[in-house]
């Protein structure tokens, strides 16, 4: 038996609206580019300490409310790389999250 994570967000409507606004602001402040490789979104950000901190907060928060998402933050040369993916049933949510960074 597998320990499947439910494909659902545990945030209420107001909390979700606030989270999306925060994500859009981080994107507006530091997103350089984004692309997709199959079902994985790759978002490149400026590699300054403030952007790193804000992205780390988002990754931690999303791990709590949407545990099925696979988010990772790494350095990619002189940029930060945020990767977002999900199981097939949750791909629409991963797509929406990636779009939220673009405002």
């Amino acid at each position: 038996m597998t320990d499947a994570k439910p494909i659902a967000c545990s945030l209420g409507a107001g909390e979700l609206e606030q989270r999306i606004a925060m994500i859009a602001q981080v994107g507006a402040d530091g997103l350089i580019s984004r692309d997709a490789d199959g079902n994985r979104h790759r978002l490149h950000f400026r590699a300054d300490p403030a952007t790193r901190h804000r992205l780390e907060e988002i990754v931690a928060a999303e791990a709590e409310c949407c545990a099925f998402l696979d988010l990772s933050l790494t350095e990619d040369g002189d940029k930060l790389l945020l990767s977002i993916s999900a199981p097939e049933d949750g791909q629409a949510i991963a797509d929406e999250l990636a779009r939220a960074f673009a405002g």
Side-chain angles (χ1 to χ4, degrees):
M1 185 154 115
T2 62
D3 190 22
K5 297 173 184 157
I7 308 295
C9 180
S10 64
L11 295 178
E15 293 171 310
L16 181 58
E17 187 176 304
Q18 288 177 338
R19 177 76 53 81
I20 295 296
M22 179 179 75
I23 287 170
Q25 188 60 55
V26 172
D29 292 345
L31 183 64
I32 298 169
S33 66
R34 67 180 215 156
D35 61 60
D37 179 16
N39 290 335
R40 181 169 296 278
H41 294 274
R42 296 183 309 217
L43 295 92
H44 291 92
F45 294 85
R46 290 190 325 241
D48 61 78
T51 300
R52 174 183 286 281
H53 177 73
R54 292 166 73 193
L55 288 170
E56 288 171 343
E57 288 181 333
I58 290 168
V59 168
E62 289 299 317
E64 287 185 31
C65 71
C66 296
F68 66 92
L69 288 173
D70 179 17
L71 284 88
S72 66
L73 182 63
T74 58
E75 288 190 30
D76 183 19
D78 61 345
K79 300 176 217 157
L80 296 172
L81 171 62
L82 176 64
S83 294
I84 304 170
S85 64
E88 188 175 330
D89 291 351
Q91 190 60 46
I93 296 171
D95 295 346
E96 185 178 331
L97 181 61
R99 279 192 303 271
F101 279 100

